[in-house]
């Protein structure tokens, strides 16, 4: 039976998905070293993140859990999955010394649900089993920067992002440390710096395997593609989202809308940092000076300042291939930015105007080329 239980609590926006996918990819290697990272399922889903299956196991009303609702998981499917997952845990307990669970959903469970989790684990673990809880904490400025980007790329209005942050607890404030200590009084609860872990050797995943799990052998890494936005991408996307509903033909949802956001997100440039618009919008943050320090360190005091230095070719390329309405919104925005720079920085203003003209010429050339190809195709078919 399990002699050692390690539970990774996240937290959100601290590379949790990357860690979980790495653990799943190295399932056999870990198992060969006595470390079980269970392959739990929900209906046809096989998530690397244990939150969903674990919450289904400890909840008295799992059908109300948001993922079960979103994916229309029926009660019979939940019950079947729970039985299968219990069998998986029991089977692993007979061959492994260490049970490793990664589920940020555990971080905000209340005491009754934590008691059920404890009872569940104790049913498959040794009576003298030790418990460890680990979580990563992110600098508040970096945390908010990551949340804002993620939600913006999902097509959420910036003001709605601010409202959501103002209505919720920040970073790791939702972690119920007191409830964990009451439920698992003999456990070890360890906080790790996300920023420091990312600097470790090959990065966060190796830090987790070596420092948290104690696994120091070779492992297969997982490539993640959650790139940060450039400051220019951010401003173009937020402007597009904010103004899209004033144009009849702009899709508010669906593939074209998401495609435009994706193309704008690929524009290279200086890394996005929080600016004064964010400090003004996120009113609920108690330690607001941390946001202000983040702004000062990035040398961007106002949102438009990012256009003093931008990647002309990358911006031009992607504005040419977005759809007509997105381009119209973006060029109108850039024209206003150019006007704002006209007196203080005529060079920047001229560069932006040049960009606008080049994009328009590029679109014309693209249209001519497309028309020529259609004509040639027609001729060949005849």
């Amino acid at each position: 039976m399990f002699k050692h239980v390690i539970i990774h609590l996240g937290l959100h926006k601290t590379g949790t998905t990357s860690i979980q996918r790495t653990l799943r990819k190295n399932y056999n290697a870990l198992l060969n070293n006595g470390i079980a990272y269970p392959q739990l399922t929900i209906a046809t889903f096989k998530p690397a993140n244990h939150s969903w299956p674990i919450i289904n196991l400890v909840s008295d009303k799992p059908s109300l859990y948001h993922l079960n609702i979103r994916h229309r998981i029926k009660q019979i499917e939940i019950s079947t999955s729970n039985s299968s997952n219990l069998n998986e845990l029991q089977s692993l307990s007979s061959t492994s010394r260490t049970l490793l669970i990664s589920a940020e959903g555990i971080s905000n469970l209340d005491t009754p649900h934590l008691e059920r989790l404890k009872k569940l684990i104790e049913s498959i673990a040794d009576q003298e089993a030790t418990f460890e809880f680990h979580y990563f904490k992110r600098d508040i400025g970096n945390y908010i920067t990551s949340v804002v980007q993620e939600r913006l790329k999902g097509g959420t209005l910036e003001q709605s992002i601010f409202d959501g942050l103002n209505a919720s607890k920040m970073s790791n404030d939702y972690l119920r440390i007191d409830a964990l200590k009451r439920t698992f009084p003999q456990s070890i609860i360890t906080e790790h710096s996300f920023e420091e872990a990312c600097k470790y050797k090959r990065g966060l995943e190796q830090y987790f395997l070596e420092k948290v799990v104690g696994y120091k052998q070779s492992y297969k890494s997982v490539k993640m593609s959650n790139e940060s936005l450039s400051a220019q991408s951010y401003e173009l996307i937020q402007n597009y989202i904010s103004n899209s509903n004033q144009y009849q033909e702009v899709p508010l949802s669906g593939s074209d809308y998401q495609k435009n956001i994706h193309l704008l997100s690929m524009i290279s440039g200086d890394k996005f940092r929080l600016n004064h618009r964010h400090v003004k919008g996120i009113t609920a943050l108690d330690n607001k000076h941390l946001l202000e320090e983040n702004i000062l360190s990035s040398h961007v005091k106002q949102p438009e300042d990012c256009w003093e230095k931008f990647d002309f070719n990358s911006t031009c390329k992607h504005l040419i291939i977005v759809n007509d309405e997105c381009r119209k919104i973006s060029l109108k925005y850039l024209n206003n930015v150019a006007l704002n720079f006209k007196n203080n920085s005529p060079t920047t203003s001229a560069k932006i105007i040049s960009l606008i003209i080049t994009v328009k010429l590029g679109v014309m050339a693209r249209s001519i080329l497309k028309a020529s190809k259609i004509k040639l195709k027609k001729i060949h078919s005849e």
Side-chain angles (χ1 to χ4, degrees):
M1 300 182 83
F2 296 122
K3 303 286 186 183
H4 190 200
V5 179
I6 301 172
I7 299 179
H8 171 223
L9 302 169
L11 301 166
H12 294 289
K13 306 307 300 174
T14 58
T16 309
T17 300
S18 179
I19 289 171
Q20 290 162 347
R21 290 182 181 176
T22 298
L23 294 175
R24 181 172 63 180
K25 190 168 186 176
N26 292 276
Y27 174 85
N28 289 327
L30 290 169
L31 200 59
N32 289 337
N33 283 270
I35 303 163
Y37 187 70
Q39 295 183 325
L40 306 181
T41 62
I42 301 293
T44 59
F45 296 92
K46 298 179 180 179
N49 182 346
H50 290 147
S51 296
W52 188 4
I54 289 293
I55 287 174
N56 277 358
L57 283 166
V58 302
S59 175
D60 51 348
K61 294 181 180 178
S63 60
L64 299 180
Y65 186 55
H66 70 97
L67 288 178
N68 289 322
I69 294 172
R70 183 190 302 174
H71 297 290
R72 300 178 180 178
I73 305 298
K74 298 175 182 178
Q75 183 59 51
I76 185 66
E77 293 177 299
I78 294 172
S79 298
T80 301
S81 296
N82 282 350
S83 296
S84 174
N85 290 335
L86 281 172
N87 289 336
E88 164 77 352
L89 290 168
Q90 288 166 350
S91 174
L92 290 171
S93 71
S94 64
T95 58
S96 306
R97 288 180 55 83
T98 300
L99 171 63
L100 174 58
I101 293 173
S102 179
E104 58 266 45
I106 294 174
S107 64
N108 54 6
L109 289 180
D110 57 19
T111 302
H113 288 95
L114 287 174
E115 290 285 359
R116 289 177 194 148
L117 175 64
K118 182 182 181 183
K119 188 176 179 180
L120 167 66
I121 295 174
E122 286 179 342
S123 71
I124 54 172
D126 188 87
Q127 191 175 357
E128 302 297 323
T130 58
F131 285 80
E132 289 184 23
F133 292 88
H134 295 263
Y135 67 93
F136 289 80
K137 183 179 179 182
R138 194 168 190 167
D139 169 82
I140 190 66
N142 291 335
Y143 168 78
I144 294 175
T145 299
S146 180
V147 169
V148 168
Q149 289 184 85
E150 179 187 51
R151 295 182 186 174
L152 190 84
K153 285 191 285 187
T156 305
L157 280 165
E158 188 178 65
Q159 187 55 55
S160 296
I161 297 172
F162 294 164
D163 292 343
L165 286 169
N166 290 333
S168 63
K169 292 184 177 181
M170 299 291 179
S171 191
N172 68 320
D173 294 341
Y174 57 80
L175 177 60
R176 302 188 179 192
I177 292 287
D178 291 340
L180 278 174
K181 288 180 178 178
R182 283 195 302 270
T183 309
F184 299 89
Q186 304 302 318
S187 66
I188 298 171
I189 302 174
T190 306
E191 176 186 295
H192 303 264
S193 165
F194 173 75
E195 285 79 13
E196 289 303 312
C198 289
K199 297 175 185 176
Y200 186 80
K201 296 180 182 177
R202 287 172 59 188
L204 176 66
E205 295 78 12
Q206 187 169 10
Y207 177 94
F208 185 88
L209 287 168
E210 293 190 3
K211 298 290 187 179
V212 176
V213 182
Y215 178 84
K216 297 184 179 181
Q217 298 184 35
S218 62
Y219 67 95
K220 298 174 184 177
S221 59
V222 176
K223 188 175 181 180
M224 299 290 289
S225 58
N226 189 19
E227 296 292 331
S228 296
L229 294 173
S230 67
Q232 295 78 18
S233 278
Y234 182 92
E235 291 304 318
L236 287 168
I237 293 171
Q238 84 83 21
N239 177 71
Y240 169 54
I241 293 171
S242 299
N243 292 285
S244 62
N245 57 5
Q246 66 179 274
Y247 293 95
Q248 245 184 356
E249 294 180 15
V250 171
L252 295 178
S253 61
S255 59
D256 284 346
Y257 184 64
Q258 292 301 324
K259 182 181 178 183
N260 288 329
I261 292 174
H262 175 68
L263 290 170
L264 292 176
S265 73
M266 295 172 70
I267 295 172
S268 59
D270 291 336
K271 189 176 180 180
F272 165 72
R273 298 285 184 184
L274 299 172
N275 55 51
H276 282 288
R277 194 171 63 235
H278 299 95
V279 172
K280 187 177 179 181
I282 306 171
T283 57
L285 190 63
D286 293 331
N287 45 356
K288 203 167 225 180
H289 67 280
L290 290 172
L291 280 185
E292 292 166 356
E293 288 174 5
N294 186 279
I295 292 164
L296 292 173
S297 68
S298 69
H299 307 293
V300 177
K301 300 186 183 300
Q302 296 297 335
E304 307 81 40
D305 291 350
C306 68
W307 293 103
E308 288 181 331
K309 181 183 177 183
F310 67 94
D311 188 324
F312 187 100
N313 292 334
S314 178
T315 309
C316 183
K317 171 187 172 182
H318 291 96
L319 286 179
I320 287 173
I321 56 180
V322 295
N323 74 8
D324 293 341
E325 296 298 335
C326 179
R327 188 184 309 107
K328 182 178 179 181
I329 292 170
S330 299
L331 294 184
K332 182 179 179 181
Y333 159 75
L334 286 170
N335 188 64
N336 290 333
V337 173
L339 289 173
N340 291 336
F341 275 115
K342 190 173 182 181
N343 294 326
N344 296 331
S345 181
T347 303
T348 302
S349 179
K351 186 178 179 182
I352 295 171
I353 293 297
S354 177
L355 171 68
I356 294 171
I357 293 170
T358 306
V359 169
K360 289 180 177 179
L361 290 172
V363 171
M364 288 174 61
R366 198 162 177 252
S367 298
I368 292 168
L369 182 62
K370 186 177 180 181
S372 299
K373 286 182 177 179
I374 293 172
K375 191 174 181 179
L376 283 171
K377 191 175 181 181
K378 188 177 180 182
I379 291 169
H380 286 305
S381 65
E382 292 174 350

